[in-house]
Amino acid sequence: PASRAREGPDQVRITGLTILPPPGSMSGTVMILAFLSGPFKVTFVGKESDPGFKGVMIVPTDAQGYEARPMMLTFAPGWWSADDTRRLNDFRVAMNELLT
């Protein structure tokens, strides 16, 4: 009988980025927002005023045949401000320029 080689990491083609952020943390939420790509609706939860937003709700907009459940992320123990949004957008623009 023919011997089969074991499949391992060298036979796997990585086609995406997996982010494993610390759950329920601001750093995890920022990592997800920084690299989020695709048809999503992002809604900030709370008020922009002091101290700021307390979280974000992300819902895929391309779900077909079912109602997509929102993913709720927190900025705990901190808050999110308009300046933070500007910095995140600047980072995303810089990453897009770097990768094109």
Side-chain angles (χ1 to χ4, degrees), residues 4-59:
R4 292 186 60 178
R6 184 178 78 81
E7 288 188 23
D10 50 340
Q11 283 83 31
V12 177
R13 181 179 169 156
I14 298 172
T15 59
L17 172 66
T18 300
I19 300 173
L20 300 173
S25 70
M26 184 172 198
S27 61
T29 300
V30 172
M31 288 171 61
I32 290 170
L33 289 174
F35 295 100
L36 188 67
S37 178
F40 293 97
K41 178 181 178 187
V42 177
T43 305
F44 287 87
V45 179
K47 297 186 179 187
E48 185 179 342
S49 61
D50 193 33
F53 295 108
K54 54 186 169 184
V56 65
M57 181 174 62
I58 301 171
V59 182

Side-chain angles (χ1 to χ4, degrees), residues 75-96:
F75 294 120
W79 300 90
W80 191 260
S81 69
D83 286 340
D84 296 327
T85 302
R86 180 187 49 77
R87 284 190 284 272
L88 176 67
N89 287 337
D90 289 347
F91 172 79
R92 289 177 57 98
V93 166
M95 287 297 293
N96 286 337

